[in-house]
Amino acid sequence: MKFMKLKRAVAINDISCIGKCSLTVALPIISALGIECAVLPTAVLSAHTAFDGFTFCDLTSQIKPVSEHWSKRGEEFDTIYSGYLGSLTQIELVADFIKTFKGDDTKVIIDPVLGDHGRLYANFTEDFPKEMRKLCKMADVITPNLTEASLLLSREYVGEGYTEDYIKELLCELASLGSKKIVLTGVSFDEKRLGVACYDCEKGEYTYYPGERIESMFHGTGDVWASTFAGAYTKGYEFTKAAQLATDFTVKCIKATLDDKENHWYGVKFELCLKDLM
Ligand code: PXL
């Protein structure tokens, strides 16, 4: 009998129960792209960290037993995609997970979630970016924004007024961290465009994709972008094409939220756009 074998990704990320980021974004988006999405939750938060008074339940102790169960069963993944990690120990555990589950054809996508707008996220310590470099070394693709790039490279953050040569220099330095491909997100050379700069380290190929710039800020758009990229790349899209799809989809989700931006500051209405991915 003929059957359709689904590709399978595992998303390693937290569950922010309210707030539309991390796993509550990764699961629907990756599923909408026709990829089975297993999850390895790293923490449960009542809401993401931009909400006052959020609770945080660390799930570090669960990572190893879950991995061991999967390993015993011989479970396999086409893609390992990691995002927000809550501690230095979790970075170590994710590195072990990759060593255990990375097969010859497994794609490892590391979104080195560290910060935004030039600042490290609230509950990360100064030594966190250095540890994150170890995961970047194991990645096929890393997807930092400009803040994360500067934190990973211990460089001063430059958020605007930079040149394309500066972006290429950042990509070259990021390449030295050891991943095969890099997508630098949130890159802009003019007021109308905000896009992604891609570098294939093996081919030495640089491309820039200028997305549409929308003058509004919502939380979780980095996760919408990375989840769309992870789903599309798993599906077999070439890496710059997956980056373009993710950019256009994120813009669409932001546009779908603009009518209600005061109430919806915490995330984008990606639900209205999922049909476009199917
Ligand atoms: O979107 C990144 C992210 C993921 N998970 C949690 C966060 C954030 C960003 O602030 O707080 C818990």
Side-chain angles (χ1 to χ4, degrees), residues 13-14 16 21-22 45 48-50 84 113 121 219-220 223:
N13 217 324
D14 70 88
S16 293
C21 67
S22 38
L45 292 84
H48 67 55
T49 55
Y84 186 96
V113 176
Y121 283 135
H219 290 278
D223 293 344

PDB file of all heavy atoms in Angstrom, residues 13-14 16 21-22 45 48-50 84 113 121 219-220 223, ligand 1:
ATOM      1  N   ASN A  13      12.178  24.397  22.419  1.00  0.00           N
ATOM      2  CA  ASN A  13      11.845  25.789  22.724  1.00  0.00           C
ATOM      3  C   ASN A  13      10.966  25.796  23.972  1.00  0.00           C
ATOM      4  O   ASN A  13      10.499  24.744  24.411  1.00  0.00           O
ATOM      5  CB  ASN A  13      11.082  26.372  21.523  1.00  0.00           C
ATOM      6  CG  ASN A  13      11.419  27.820  21.257  1.00  0.00           C
ATOM      7  OD1 ASN A  13      11.629  28.577  22.201  1.00  0.00           O
ATOM      8  ND2 ASN A  13      11.459  28.212  20.003  1.00  0.00           N
ATOM      9  N   ASP A  14      10.686  26.979  24.510  1.00  0.00           N
ATOM     10  CA  ASP A  14       9.791  27.031  25.674  1.00  0.00           C
ATOM     11  C   ASP A  14       8.331  27.063  25.236  1.00  0.00           C
ATOM     12  O   ASP A  14       8.029  27.283  24.062  1.00  0.00           O
ATOM     13  CB  ASP A  14      10.098  28.276  26.519  1.00  0.00           C
ATOM     14  CG  ASP A  14       9.678  29.548  25.811  1.00  0.00           C
ATOM     15  OD1 ASP A  14       8.512  29.956  25.955  1.00  0.00           O
ATOM     16  OD2 ASP A  14      10.500  30.109  25.067  1.00  0.00           O
ATOM     17  N   SER A  16       5.449  29.458  26.121  1.00  0.00           N
ATOM     18  CA  SER A  16       4.898  30.637  26.792  1.00  0.00           C
ATOM     19  C   SER A  16       3.394  30.538  26.577  1.00  0.00           C
ATOM     20  O   SER A  16       2.908  30.699  25.457  1.00  0.00           O
ATOM     21  CB  SER A  16       5.457  31.921  26.172  1.00  0.00           C
ATOM     22  OG  SER A  16       6.833  32.012  26.455  1.00  0.00           O
ATOM     23  N   CYS A  21       4.642  33.087  21.023  1.00  0.00           N
ATOM     24  CA  CYS A  21       6.040  33.001  20.593  1.00  0.00           C
ATOM     25  C   CYS A  21       6.464  31.546  20.800  1.00  0.00           C
ATOM     26  O   CYS A  21       5.632  30.705  21.164  1.00  0.00           O
ATOM     27  CB  CYS A  21       6.932  33.963  21.374  1.00  0.00           C
ATOM     28  SG  CYS A  21       7.105  33.572  23.110  1.00  0.00           S
ATOM     29  N   SER A  22       7.699  31.266  20.578  1.00  0.00           N
ATOM     30  CA  SER A  22       8.294  29.937  20.769  1.00  0.00           C
ATOM     31  C   SER A  22       7.367  28.782  20.313  1.00  0.00           C
ATOM     32  O   SER A  22       6.913  28.785  19.187  1.00  0.00           O
ATOM     33  CB  SER A  22       8.803  29.764  22.204  1.00  0.00           C
ATOM     34  OG  SER A  22       7.964  30.368  23.141  1.00  0.00           O
ATOM     35  N   LEU A  45       6.148  28.937  30.753  1.00  0.00           N
ATOM     36  CA  LEU A  45       5.951  30.278  31.338  1.00  0.00           C
ATOM     37  C   LEU A  45       4.458  30.605  31.244  1.00  0.00           C
ATOM     38  O   LEU A  45       3.798  30.223  30.276  1.00  0.00           O
ATOM     39  CB  LEU A  45       6.717  31.343  30.555  1.00  0.00           C
ATOM     40  CG  LEU A  45       8.240  31.319  30.592  1.00  0.00           C
ATOM     41  CD1 LEU A  45       8.809  30.342  29.565  1.00  0.00           C
ATOM     42  CD2 LEU A  45       8.796  32.718  30.315  1.00  0.00           C
ATOM     43  N   HIS A  48       4.930  35.159  27.949  1.00  0.00           N
ATOM     44  CA  HIS A  48       6.345  35.437  27.635  1.00  0.00           C
ATOM     45  C   HIS A  48       6.891  36.586  28.486  1.00  0.00           C
ATOM     46  O   HIS A  48       6.146  37.257  29.209  1.00  0.00           O
ATOM     47  CB  HIS A  48       6.593  35.568  26.137  1.00  0.00           C
ATOM     48  CG  HIS A  48       5.987  36.745  25.435  1.00  0.00           C
ATOM     49  ND1 HIS A  48       6.194  38.050  25.822  1.00  0.00           N
ATOM     50  CD2 HIS A  48       5.202  36.806  24.332  1.00  0.00           C
ATOM     51  CE1 HIS A  48       5.569  38.852  24.990  1.00  0.00           C
ATOM     52  NE2 HIS A  48       4.941  38.124  24.086  1.00  0.00           N
ATOM     53  N   THR A  49       8.204  36.782  28.392  1.00  0.00           N
ATOM     54  CA  THR A  49       8.876  37.617  29.392  1.00  0.00           C
ATOM     55  C   THR A  49       8.595  39.115  29.242  1.00  0.00           C
ATOM     56  O   THR A  49       9.037  39.904  30.076  1.00  0.00           O
ATOM     57  CB  THR A  49      10.402  37.367  29.369  1.00  0.00           C
ATOM     58  OG1 THR A  49      10.888  37.590  28.044  1.00  0.00           O
ATOM     59  CG2 THR A  49      10.734  35.963  29.788  1.00  0.00           C
ATOM     60  N   ALA A  50       7.864  39.513  28.206  1.00  0.00           N
ATOM     61  CA  ALA A  50       7.484  40.926  28.110  1.00  0.00           C
ATOM     62  C   ALA A  50       6.236  41.218  28.964  1.00  0.00           C
ATOM     63  O   ALA A  50       5.859  42.377  29.133  1.00  0.00           O
ATOM     64  CB  ALA A  50       7.235  41.306  26.656  1.00  0.00           C
ATOM     65  N   TYR A  84      14.551  29.542  21.945  1.00  0.00           N
ATOM     66  CA  TYR A  84      14.816  30.103  23.275  1.00  0.00           C
ATOM     67  C   TYR A  84      15.261  29.015  24.264  1.00  0.00           C
ATOM     68  O   TYR A  84      14.542  28.048  24.500  1.00  0.00           O
ATOM     69  CB  TYR A  84      13.531  30.753  23.793  1.00  0.00           C
ATOM     70  CG  TYR A  84      13.658  31.507  25.093  1.00  0.00           C
ATOM     71  CD1 TYR A  84      13.856  32.887  25.109  1.00  0.00           C
ATOM     72  CD2 TYR A  84      13.547  30.848  26.313  1.00  0.00           C
ATOM     73  CE1 TYR A  84      13.953  33.576  26.301  1.00  0.00           C
ATOM     74  CE2 TYR A  84      13.646  31.536  27.507  1.00  0.00           C
ATOM     75  CZ  TYR A  84      13.850  32.898  27.489  1.00  0.00           C
ATOM     76  OH  TYR A  84      13.942  33.588  28.674  1.00  0.00           O
ATOM     77  N   VAL A 113      18.537  32.611  20.117  1.00  0.00           N
ATOM     78  CA  VAL A 113      17.711  33.640  20.768  1.00  0.00           C
ATOM     79  C   VAL A 113      18.465  34.213  21.973  1.00  0.00           C
ATOM     80  O   VAL A 113      18.750  33.503  22.943  1.00  0.00           O
ATOM     81  CB  VAL A 113      16.350  33.039  21.210  1.00  0.00           C
ATOM     82  CG1 VAL A 113      15.529  34.072  21.969  1.00  0.00           C
ATOM     83  CG2 VAL A 113      15.572  32.521  20.004  1.00  0.00           C
ATOM     84  N   TYR A 121      18.151  39.716  26.302  1.00  0.00           N
ATOM     85  CA  TYR A 121      16.857  39.524  26.968  1.00  0.00           C
ATOM     86  C   TYR A 121      17.039  39.441  28.491  1.00  0.00           C
ATOM     87  O   TYR A 121      18.079  38.968  28.982  1.00  0.00           O
ATOM     88  CB  TYR A 121      16.151  38.256  26.476  1.00  0.00           C
ATOM     89  CG  TYR A 121      15.507  38.393  25.118  1.00  0.00           C
ATOM     90  CD1 TYR A 121      15.638  37.405  24.151  1.00  0.00           C
ATOM     91  CD2 TYR A 121      14.758  39.518  24.783  1.00  0.00           C
ATOM     92  CE1 TYR A 121      15.050  37.519  22.900  1.00  0.00           C
ATOM     93  CE2 TYR A 121      14.167  39.641  23.530  1.00  0.00           C
ATOM     94  CZ  TYR A 121      14.322  38.645  22.597  1.00  0.00           C
ATOM     95  OH  TYR A 121      13.745  38.760  21.357  1.00  0.00           O
ATOM     96  N   HIS A 219       5.924  41.565  19.481  1.00  0.00           N
ATOM     97  CA  HIS A 219       6.748  40.472  20.010  1.00  0.00           C
ATOM     98  C   HIS A 219       6.528  39.204  19.177  1.00  0.00           C
ATOM     99  O   HIS A 219       5.485  39.039  18.550  1.00  0.00           O
ATOM    100  CB  HIS A 219       6.386  40.213  21.469  1.00  0.00           C
ATOM    101  CG  HIS A 219       6.828  41.323  22.356  1.00  0.00           C
ATOM    102  ND1 HIS A 219       8.121  41.428  22.820  1.00  0.00           N
ATOM    103  CD2 HIS A 219       6.160  42.397  22.825  1.00  0.00           C
ATOM    104  CE1 HIS A 219       8.219  42.528  23.545  1.00  0.00           C
ATOM    105  NE2 HIS A 219       7.052  43.135  23.563  1.00  0.00           N
ATOM    106  N   GLY A 220       7.492  38.322  19.225  1.00  0.00           N
ATOM    107  CA  GLY A 220       7.326  36.990  18.626  1.00  0.00           C
ATOM    108  C   GLY A 220       7.547  36.919  17.130  1.00  0.00           C
ATOM    109  O   GLY A 220       7.478  35.820  16.555  1.00  0.00           O
ATOM    110  N   ASP A 223      10.269  34.541  16.115  1.00  0.00           N
ATOM    111  CA  ASP A 223       9.886  33.120  16.164  1.00  0.00           C
ATOM    112  C   ASP A 223       8.996  32.739  14.985  1.00  0.00           C
ATOM    113  O   ASP A 223       9.079  31.616  14.474  1.00  0.00           O
ATOM    114  CB  ASP A 223       9.169  32.798  17.482  1.00  0.00           C
ATOM    115  CG  ASP A 223      10.115  32.915  18.666  1.00  0.00           C
ATOM    116  OD1 ASP A 223      11.332  32.939  18.455  1.00  0.00           O
ATOM    117  OD2 ASP A 223       9.623  32.995  19.803  1.00  0.00           O
TER     118      ASP A 223
HETATM  119  O1  PXL B   1      10.523  35.287  21.033  1.00  0.00           O
HETATM  120  C1  PXL B   1      11.620  34.928  21.787  1.00  0.00           C
HETATM  121  C2  PXL B   1      11.198  34.502  23.149  1.00  0.00           C
HETATM  122  C3  PXL B   1      10.919  33.171  23.388  1.00  0.00           C
HETATM  123  N1  PXL B   1      10.534  32.729  24.597  1.00  0.00           N
HETATM  124  C4  PXL B   1      10.390  33.585  25.621  1.00  0.00           C
HETATM  125  C5  PXL B   1      10.639  34.939  25.434  1.00  0.00           C
HETATM  126  C6  PXL B   1      11.062  35.401  24.182  1.00  0.00           C
HETATM  127  C7  PXL B   1      11.361  36.810  23.975  1.00  0.00           C
HETATM  128  O2  PXL B   1      11.266  37.637  24.824  1.00  0.00           O
HETATM  129  O3  PXL B   1      10.453  35.766  26.462  1.00  0.00           O
HETATM  130  C8  PXL B   1       9.991  33.065  26.956  1.00  0.00           C
END
